[in-house]
Amino acid sequence: MAMGNGQGSDGRKPEAMDANMTDSDENQQKSKESDNVSNSPNAKANGNFAQMNDNIKASAVQLKEKALNIHEKIQRRHVLVITSTLAAILAIVIVVTGCYAFWDSKYGEQRNYQQLQSLAQKPVGMTKNGGLPAFKASDYNPGAPSVDLYVDYFCPGCAVVEQDLFRPIKDMMDAKQINLYIHPINFLDSKTKNHYSTRAASAVAYVASHQPERLFDFSTALYDKTYQPSKKDNREVSDQEIINQAIKAGVKKDVAKKSTKGTYTDYVEKATKYTSRRRELYVTMQDQFRFSTPTICINGKMWQYRQLHTLDDVKPTFIHSLGLHREQVGDPKVMPAIGAHGEAIPIQQKYL
């Protein structure tokens, strides 16, 4: 029989069947063990920890992004606040500046005038507008025209005009045909060495206070071609040089020596500030409407010599504007036709 041969009904050997059964059992056992491991408390804890770690990382990224967004918003707010603050400050500055400019243009001249009037030490005989009489009080002629010369002693144009007018003005002063006033200005001071404009003007004010009859001579001596510093040769002028020019002009030595002590520096500063604000003295210079030297006034109104063809026409036109003929200059019997209050006679067309 087949079974006697030691084989089963399916033709396999019993040993083989047992082996197959053993492998199957082992696989099943491993699967169970694996399931047991994966379902063990430690495994579950490890999985949960890993999940928590991932969640924490994700939360950290989100928090970082939120923090960056908040930081950017704060920065934008800071920029906006700073910008708004600066804009507000700028607006305030513009408004304040505009208000001050308006106030200064309207009341600046009056303020400077008051400062000039309240000087602690005024030059003797100083007029209300800062003029210095170039004559003794006893020589004042109430019926004669007043002539005001506004000059800076560093100004080259002043030198030309004053030297050209020196002789007729001197002759008219001696004949009491005019009352002359000098206005020393220092608006060119910043262009000079060692504040020459201020120092020279202060010296002029000192001479005006102590020896006024020599004031015009001294003023003109400061424009001597061999002495006056220029823009090309802006040398430093010593006090002794100023003293020497005063002595040459007939100023007493003791007066000349004391003239350079700076006694009237404050007067020069205040007079210049006031004068430079007087719009009735403004002219158009280099496309600017402003005060300039030399400026000449006749009976309080500016004489527009700048309309002339050349500066050589200043002398004859000046004489004519006062109402005199050339041969009448220096004649005490003849007074200028315009008198003490009349306007200057218009400049003749041939000089324009």
Side-chain angles (χ1 to χ4, degrees):
M1 295 176 63
M3 291 182 64
N5 292 332
Q7 295 179 349
S9 61
D10 57 2
R12 291 181 294 175
K13 292 182 179 180
E15 296 82 1
M17 290 179 65
D18 292 337
N20 291 334
M21 289 177 66
T22 301
D23 292 338
S24 177
D25 292 340
E26 288 178 357
N27 291 334
Q28 291 178 3
Q29 183 66 26
K30 290 179 179 180
S31 177
K32 288 179 179 180
E33 291 176 355
S34 176
D35 290 339
N36 290 335
V37 172
S38 62
N39 292 325
S40 67
N42 290 335
K44 290 180 178 180
N46 290 335
N48 290 336
F49 180 77
Q51 184 64 37
M52 288 176 62
N53 195 31
D54 291 339
N55 292 337
I56 290 172
K57 289 182 178 179
S59 297
V61 171
Q62 291 177 355
L63 287 174
K64 185 177 181 180
E65 291 178 352
K66 288 181 179 180
L68 288 174
N69 290 334
I70 292 173
H71 179 71
E72 290 177 356
K73 288 181 179 179
I74 292 174
Q75 288 294 99
R76 285 197 294 271
R77 287 180 182 176
H78 283 171
V79 172
L80 181 60
V81 170
I82 293 173
T83 303
S84 301
T85 302
L86 290 176
I89 293 174
L90 181 61
I92 292 172
V93 170
I94 291 174
V95 171
V96 172
T97 302
C99 291
Y100 177 77
F102 173 77
W103 179 89
D104 195 47
S105 63
K106 190 173 183 178
Y107 302 106
E109 180 182 337
Q110 181 179 351
R111 179 194 60 195
N112 293 142
Y113 175 79
Q114 294 299 333
Q115 291 176 347
L116 178 62
Q117 305 312 310
S118 61
L119 277 170
Q121 188 168 11
K122 300 177 184 178
V124 177
M126 186 192 84
T127 63
K128 290 184 177 181
N129 62 8
L132 304 177
F135 50 87
K136 291 181 179 180
S138 58
D139 290 333
Y140 173 72
N141 185 350
S146 63
V147 176
D148 292 78
L149 299 181
Y150 295 81
V151 295
D152 186 304
Y153 292 103
F154 188 69
C155 167
C158 296
V160 174
V161 171
E162 189 157 328
Q163 288 171 354
D164 194 38
L165 290 179
F166 175 78
R167 193 68 265 162
I169 286 180
K170 182 69 173 175
D171 291 340
M172 284 188 278
M173 287 175 60
D174 291 341
K176 298 183 181 180
Q177 290 175 312
I178 61 171
N179 299 308
L180 179 69
Y181 300 87
I182 304 292
H183 297 254
I185 307 298
N186 75 338
F187 82 114
L188 294 177
D189 201 54
S190 62
K191 298 182 180 180
T192 69
K193 289 184 178 179
N194 197 20
H195 304 288
Y196 174 73
S197 289
T198 296
R199 291 164 53 228
S202 179
V204 164
Y206 191 89
V207 171
S209 297
H210 295 83
Q211 208 173 345
E213 69 278 11
R214 289 298 176 188
L215 175 59
F216 184 54
D217 301 80
F218 177 38
S219 180
T220 305
L222 291 175
Y223 290 120
D224 190 288
K225 294 180 180 179
T226 62
Y227 162 83
Q228 186 192 24
S230 66
K231 293 180 180 179
K232 293 182 179 179
D233 179 23
N234 191 4
R235 63 187 180 83
E236 184 171 336
V237 180
S238 67
D239 286 348
Q240 188 58 52
E241 289 180 279
I242 296 176
I243 292 170
N244 292 341
Q245 290 303 109
I247 294 173
K248 288 179 181 179
V251 177
K252 297 176 182 178
K253 288 186 179 181
D254 60 328
V255 174
K257 289 180 179 179
K258 293 177 182 178
S259 71
T260 57
K261 302 299 182 181
T263 305
Y264 293 106
T265 296
D266 196 31
Y267 152 75
V268 175
E269 296 288 345
K270 296 294 193 300
T272 299
K273 287 182 179 180
Y274 168 60
T275 302
S276 63
R277 302 302 299 273
R278 294 174 58 189
R279 296 184 68 85
E280 73 272 17
L281 300 180
Y282 281 21
V283 294
T284 300
M285 296 288 292
Q286 298 176 349
D287 298 327
Q288 291 184 340
F289 189 57
R290 59 182 176 82
F291 174 78
S292 178
T293 56
T295 288
I296 301 174
C297 289
I298 297 177
N299 281 344
K301 292 188 178 181
M302 184 164 60
W303 182 57
Q304 287 283 25
Y305 72 90
R306 290 179 175 84
Q307 298 175 351
L308 301 175
H309 281 309
T310 67
L311 290 177
D312 291 336
D313 298 326
V314 170
K315 184 190 297 184
T317 307
F318 175 74
I319 295 171
H320 175 265
S321 293
L322 290 172
L324 288 172
H325 295 293
R326 181 177 298 182
E327 64 275 9
Q328 294 173 328
V329 172
D331 186 348
K333 297 179 181 180
V334 180
M335 293 302 297
I338 64 172
H341 305 289
E343 293 187 3
I345 295 174
I347 297 174
Q348 292 175 305
Q349 188 64 38
K350 64 180 180 179
Y351 295 117
L352 299 177

